[in-house]
Amino acid sequence: MNPQSARQVEHEITVEAPASDVYRLLAEVENWPRIFPPSVYVDYVERNGNEERIRIWATANGEAKNWSSRRTLDPEARRIEFRQEVSTPPVADMGGTWIMEPVGETTTRLRLLHDYRAIDDDPGKLAWIDEAVDHNSRSELASLKANMELATGAAELTLSFEDTVRIDGAAKDVYDFLNEAELWVERLPHVAAVQFSEDTPGLQVLRMDTLTKDGSTHTTESVRVCFPNRRIAYKQTTLPPLMTLHTGYWLLAEDTDGVTTATSQHTVVINSENIQRVLGPEADVEAARSFVREALGHNSRATLGYAKEYAEARSA
């Protein structure tokens, strides 16, 4: 490679976890939004033995991006090679390798290699990629280290749940209601303010002030990945103080009778350091779990209730 027009970089970190566990976590890409700060949503396009194609939606330097990658998995050598199929500007080509090297039975040296070029070999664009790769690599490695090392002890801080509503209306109408978040101030009483952008169709940034039961508001920002009439997956990038992670999705399934089952799913990690500050000196993890479950569930059920009214009015 011409060093003026391309880069080869490496980042590494030591993880106090067995190499086999580190490998498995990296191999299961559907969990990436729960592990790596930049990742919003990942799914499989195809899988054939140790070869697979995946689609990734993530943030880079505060911007939402998406791309497709091919991966080759080598569980014996604990290596995962990846190459972006179609890179997103300003990236012309991007690939690399994850390498997991056992240092001991419970310690792993994790290496992340990247090689990349900028469109038109532009120095300014290459500098942008340098910054994004460095920032995301450090975030990914630090987050992976923390998640692997705290996996056992932090289990009680993680909760996943869902709420489901049956709607006598078309999935398309329900989807339209959920997708058009820029209208939520008018449509949802618990939404006080919205800032909404969708520079790439189906990839949204939603900043929202939400009213709580006591009349106060909290601000969140999410990146949303939208699949028309089926699913909207999201990850909060600005979180309330009681959470260190919040991912979720809206899932719609319409049957042959035109009835739609609408599900709201949440996965949350509680911020244990803020429990007593937010909920009072007597509060514990269980109180925080109950509070988050009720607060998020209440708003989701309310949103689905208004979506139900909207969709059923259009099918009447």
Side-chain angles (χ1 to χ4, degrees):
M1 287 187 179
N2 180 346
Q4 299 302 315
S5 62
R7 289 284 193 272
Q8 291 179 314
V9 298
E10 178 174 341
H11 296 79
E12 69 170 68
I13 202 165
T14 299
V15 182
E16 296 302 323
S20 57
D21 289 344
V22 177
Y23 175 85
R24 184 175 64 251
L25 186 60
L26 288 170
E28 297 172 351
V29 299
E30 60 269 28
N31 292 319
W32 284 10
R34 298 170 59 179
I35 299 164
F36 300 133
S39 296
V40 176
Y41 185 72
V42 186
D43 67 6
Y44 291 98
V45 179
E46 62 183 59
R47 305 173 80 174
N48 183 16
N50 286 339
E51 303 287 330
E52 61 189 30
R53 294 176 63 218
I54 60 175
R55 291 182 298 180
I56 304 162
W57 290 262
T59 58
N61 292 351
E63 299 179 28
K65 302 283 186 180
N66 70 95
W67 64 91
S68 300
S69 290
R70 288 191 176 273
R71 301 206 312 168
T72 302
L73 280 63
D74 186 342
E76 279 70 38
R78 299 190 183 93
R79 293 173 62 99
I80 302 173
E81 297 179 2
F82 58 90
R83 176 69 52 186
Q84 291 183 5
E85 257 187 348
V86 179
S87 296
T88 300
V91 178
D93 181 63
M94 173 82 74
T97 308
W98 291 96
I99 303 172
M100 285 128 276
E101 299 174 345
V103 178
E105 289 188 6
T106 59
T107 304
T108 303
R109 180 187 181 212
L110 177 60
R111 300 166 60 200
L112 173 57
L113 285 59
H114 280 103
D115 62 82
Y116 50 87
R117 290 188 306 106
I119 290 176
D120 300 326
D121 293 331
D122 181 281
K125 294 175 181 175
L126 187 60
W128 186 96
I129 304 169
D130 286 339
E131 183 181 347
V133 169
D134 186 63
H135 177 268
N136 282 0
S137 296
R138 293 176 188 277
S139 296
E140 287 179 356
L141 289 173
S143 183
L144 176 61
K145 174 182 173 68
N147 276 281
M148 290 302 301
E149 294 177 356
L150 297 175
T152 303
E156 65 175 358
L157 298 177
T158 302
L159 66 153
S160 295
F161 57 90
E162 60 183 42
D163 294 287
T164 298
V165 170
R166 183 181 182 276
I167 298 173
D168 292 318
K172 179 186 183 304
D173 291 330
V174 182
Y175 175 85
D176 287 346
F177 185 95
L178 299 173
N179 180 60
E180 296 167 352
E182 71 273 20
L183 302 178
W184 281 4
V185 172
E186 306 162 23
R187 292 175 168 177
L188 297 174
H190 63 270
V191 175
V194 164
Q195 295 177 19
F196 178 89
S197 64
E198 189 172 4
D199 296 334
T200 301
L203 189 55
Q204 304 173 346
V205 178
L206 172 62
R207 189 171 183 86
M208 184 167 61
D209 291 347
T210 303
L211 292 168
T212 59
K213 286 184 176 180
D214 63 7
S216 62
T217 63
H218 64 263
T219 301
T220 59
E221 183 168 302
S222 302
V223 177
R224 309 206 310 171
V225 181
C226 305
F227 303 92
N229 308 332
R230 296 187 296 115
R231 176 190 292 257
I232 298 175
Y234 62 87
K235 180 176 184 177
Q236 284 191 348
T237 51
T238 299
L239 292 149
L242 202 53
M243 307 179 205
T244 60
L245 172 84
H246 181 197
T247 65
Y249 57 79
W250 305 93
L251 183 64
L252 309 175
E254 183 177 338
D255 65 19
T256 54
D257 296 325
V259 175
T260 298
T261 300
T263 299
S264 170
Q265 192 276 349
H266 299 271
T267 294
V268 171
V269 176
I270 301 294
N271 187 339
S272 59
E273 295 181 0
N274 287 339
I275 291 175
Q276 294 183 348
R277 180 171 71 84
V278 175
L279 299 179
E282 303 302 319
D284 56 11
V285 172
E286 189 57 41
R289 289 172 62 94
S290 297
F291 179 87
V292 168
R293 171 65 178 97
E294 175 52 30
L296 292 180
H298 176 269
N299 287 345
S300 292
R301 291 189 298 271
T303 300
L304 288 176
Y306 284 101
K308 174 181 172 75
E309 291 181 11
Y310 178 90
E312 290 182 348
R314 276 151 183 75
S315 64

